[in-house]
Amino acid sequence: MKTLIKGGRVLDPASKTDAVKDVLFEDGVILKVAENITDDAENVIDADGMFVMPGLIDLHVHFREPGFEHKETIRTGARAAARGGFTTVCAMPNTKPAIDSVEMVRYIIDKAKEVTDINVLPIAAITAGQDGEYITDFEKLKENGAVAVSEDGKSVMNARVARQAMRLAAEVDIPVFAHCEDKNLVARGVMNAGEKAKEMGFYGIMNAVEDVIVARDILLAKNTGARLHLCHCSTKDSVRMVELAKKEGLQVTAEVTPHHFTLTEDAITSDDANFKMNPPLRKQEDVDELKEGLSSGIMDCISTDHAPHHKTEKERSFVDAPFGITGLETSVALTITELVDKGVLTPLQMAERMSYTPAQIIKSDRGTLLEGRPADITIIDPADEYVIDSSMFASMGKNTPFNGKTVKGRVRYTIAGGKTVYSYRPGCECIVDKDVPKL
Ligand code: DOR
Ligand code: ZN
Ligand code: ZN
């Protein structure tokens, strides 16, 4: 079946396209992008006033399967991704067991194929069981579909192991996704260190907790030639160090989450664990630098760090609750509200930070609307204003600090491999699950 998307604002960083055009696709492949395509396509989507972007790519999500299915499953996570406009997501390995073997990588790939039409790509652990000691077999993990290696949830604290991992990753040409947090320096901290933490009576997490590992890992990338991707950067000095690394020509990329560019520690006004995540919400000066970085391109992409937790876990006190918030279903709206509407990013740069560049980082041929590429397409109404309602989330995790926030920007269609996996019109919202094969 042919589908024609008519009259949308087509945003394709690969060809630097920002113009009103039509998009024609068939059998999961983009056939043509041009002005006023005349075709007798069976299916026509009116995209007047909408952004038409390459399907969004999130390099950093936690789908919790196997081991923590009470928080999220690959099926529910993929539904949340579809609802959020994402056609590709990279799943972190901090499951139980961790994704540290070929069997586990295959498990994620096979399970994802069974339950969803979006691309769920596994990230493998750097060390067995994410215990920080024995490095996994990067070559085999990559051969079997791992797109990156990461110890996310923590850092590889032993610098010798971290260096050895980067040396091996460089050899195999697999990127290292680094969660930067000095375990000894963080101690018992739960929110940003400073006056606000004192006022709330909580132990603090200094910027230096992140900064010292960002510095170490950039130096180790320089030492080994590894491709290093810095996860969820939250501090102003992280941005400065990434800038320096890029000036030196190192293969260092970095991501920023919507919560870190939207909120500061001042958003924490009560004992509400929906504001607890790692790294924590920082100060305005950090937020300003993160936005600057996203605008200039020093910071390469926006990732959500979608970290669903069960209601009962997040109902605990700020001190006892686990770190993390959901992000897949609020990312588009927060990016439009905080960055595009405020002139920090152009719509074309939004497509770059949320699709094109993430694709480059994992060397995927997606993230573009070029003819012949997979028909992964996200259609967004940038003018639709509404209130975020976490009870509507497809994710099992309702743990968001943004419930009740008025935002602008709504996903209207998510098309993965030519199939509409999500669509919205007023009064009618539809997530289309994978067809169950007939026996
Ligand atoms: O807030 C976070 N939650 N940060 C992490 O690094 C891990 C994540 C999780 O797995 O819940
Ligand atoms: Zn992390
Ligand atoms: Zn994470």
Side-chain angles (χ1 to χ4, degrees):
M1 189 175 77
K2 267 196 216 169
T3 301
L4 181 61
I5 304 170
K6 289 275 327 157
R9 180 170 176 184
V10 173
L11 300 156
D12 188 14
S15 57
K16 299 199 166 53
T17 302
D18 177 355
V20 174
K21 290 192 176 194
D22 300 343
V23 178
L24 182 69
F25 65 88
E26 185 180 29
D27 295 335
V29 176
I30 295 176
L31 292 182
K32 198 170 174 186
V33 179
E35 276 171 37
N36 298 316
I37 298 176
T38 42
D39 193 280
D40 55 356
E42 296 92 321
N43 188 20
V44 178
I45 295 173
D46 175 13
D48 184 29
M50 313 267 168
F51 291 169
V52 178
M53 294 189 181
L56 305 182
I57 300 177
D58 191 345
L59 294 181
H60 189 153
V61 305
H62 297 268
F63 278 179
R64 309 303 191 196
E65 192 178 343
F68 304 101
E69 288 86 350
H70 64 291
K71 298 175 194 268
E72 190 86 288
T73 64
I74 294 173
R75 182 193 292 273
T76 58
R79 285 169 61 90
R83 190 166 180 270
F86 294 92
T87 53
T88 296
V89 298
C90 300
M92 282 295 181
N94 62 340
T95 48
K96 205 160 100 189
I99 311 304
D100 62 359
S101 64
V102 166
E103 288 69 30
M104 292 312 298
V105 164
R106 296 295 334 163
Y107 171 84
I108 300 292
I109 291 172
D110 293 345
K111 185 76 201 224
K113 287 231 168 81
E114 188 187 316
V115 301
T116 180
D117 290 295
I118 73 153
N119 305 294
V120 178
L121 309 175
I123 300 173
I126 293 176
T127 65
Q130 294 191 306
D131 283 338
E133 287 188 45
Y134 303 104
I135 295 172
T136 56
D137 188 340
F138 294 173
E139 189 168 17
K140 283 233 163 59
L141 293 165
K142 183 182 171 182
E143 263 171 32
N144 282 276
V147 294
V149 291
S150 179
E151 211 81 324
D152 190 52
K154 55 187 158 184
S155 292
V156 175
M157 277 312 298
N158 183 323
R160 178 176 50 77
V161 178
R163 178 185 172 274
Q164 177 80 341
M166 282 202 219
R167 195 179 66 68
L168 294 167
E171 238 173 69
V172 182
D173 189 31
I174 191 167
V176 175
F177 283 19
H179 165 117
C180 297
E181 177 190 14
D182 188 301
K183 187 169 155 251
N184 305 305
L185 212 45
V186 71
R188 292 159 66 187
V190 291
M191 68 171 280
N192 187 44
E195 285 307 310
K196 183 78 190 179
K198 276 195 199 129
E199 181 193 313
M200 301 297 295
F202 298 146
Y203 286 112
I205 303 172
M206 295 176 288
N207 283 19
V209 167
E210 175 171 318
D211 298 338
V212 295
I213 303 292
V214 167
R216 182 199 76 173
D217 282 1
I218 288 173
L219 292 169
L220 291 178
K222 180 174 176 173
N223 176 273
T224 57
R227 282 200 282 140
L228 173 68
H229 176 70
L230 299 165
C231 293
H232 44 53
C233 294
S234 73
T235 71
K236 58 180 197 282
D237 286 317
S238 284
V239 182
R240 289 176 193 161
M241 288 188 274
V242 173
E243 182 176 18
L244 204 60
K246 285 191 164 150
K247 275 194 184 137
E248 283 220 21
L250 304 181
Q251 301 190 76
V252 173
T253 55
E255 67 186 30
V256 183
T257 70
H259 47 280
H260 288 116
F261 67 63
T262 303
L263 299 175
T264 70
E265 59 176 5
D266 294 327
I268 305 166
T269 54
S270 64
D271 193 345
D272 182 353
N274 285 323
F275 291 82
K276 179 178 180 179
M277 72 292 284
N278 192 11
L281 300 173
R282 300 288 189 187
K283 288 192 176 301
Q284 192 61 48
E285 62 198 41
D286 297 296
V287 172
D288 291 344
E289 198 84 20
L290 293 171
K291 283 187 176 175
E292 277 275 329
L294 279 170
S295 176
S296 68
I298 291 169
M299 305 312 269
D300 299 85
C301 63
I302 296 167
S303 306
T304 65
D305 196 7
H306 177 79
H309 290 291
H310 195 262
K311 189 167 176 283
T312 54
E313 296 166 313
K314 280 301 210 179
E315 275 168 3
R316 293 182 206 149
S317 70
F318 204 93
V319 171
D320 293 327
F323 288 96
I325 62 166
T326 57
L328 284 167
E329 291 165 85
T330 48
S331 184
V332 160
L334 292 169
T335 301
I336 290 179
T337 307
E338 294 298 322
L339 304 182
V340 177
D341 270 10
K342 293 184 179 168
V344 178
L345 293 183
T346 63
L348 187 62
Q349 283 176 318
M350 175 181 170
E352 198 172 349
R353 306 283 180 268
M354 295 188 76
S355 180
Y356 177 74
T357 308
Q360 304 289 302
I361 291 169
I362 53 166
K363 297 197 172 170
S364 161
D365 66 347
R366 298 172 192 268
T368 165
L369 300 172
L370 291 175
E371 292 164 17
R373 298 297 175 91
D376 288 0
I377 305 166
T378 301
I379 304 177
I380 297 165
D381 180 351
D384 191 353
E385 194 173 273
Y386 61 100
V387 175
I388 291 173
D389 176 0
S390 60
S391 73
M392 294 294 289
F393 286 178
S395 171
M396 284 166 70
K398 316 296 179 195
N399 47 311
T400 174
F402 299 112
N403 191 37
K405 180 179 167 72
T406 300
V407 288
K408 237 164 105 183
R410 167 115 60 186
V411 176
R412 295 294 296 261
Y413 288 88
T414 308
I415 298 164
K419 179 177 166 183
T420 298
V421 291
Y422 174 77
S423 64
Y424 171 91
R425 57 192 160 79
C428 177
E429 196 174 349
C430 185
I431 299 172
V432 182
D433 283 315
K434 181 109 182 176
D435 300 331
V436 180
K438 290 197 180 71
L439 290 175

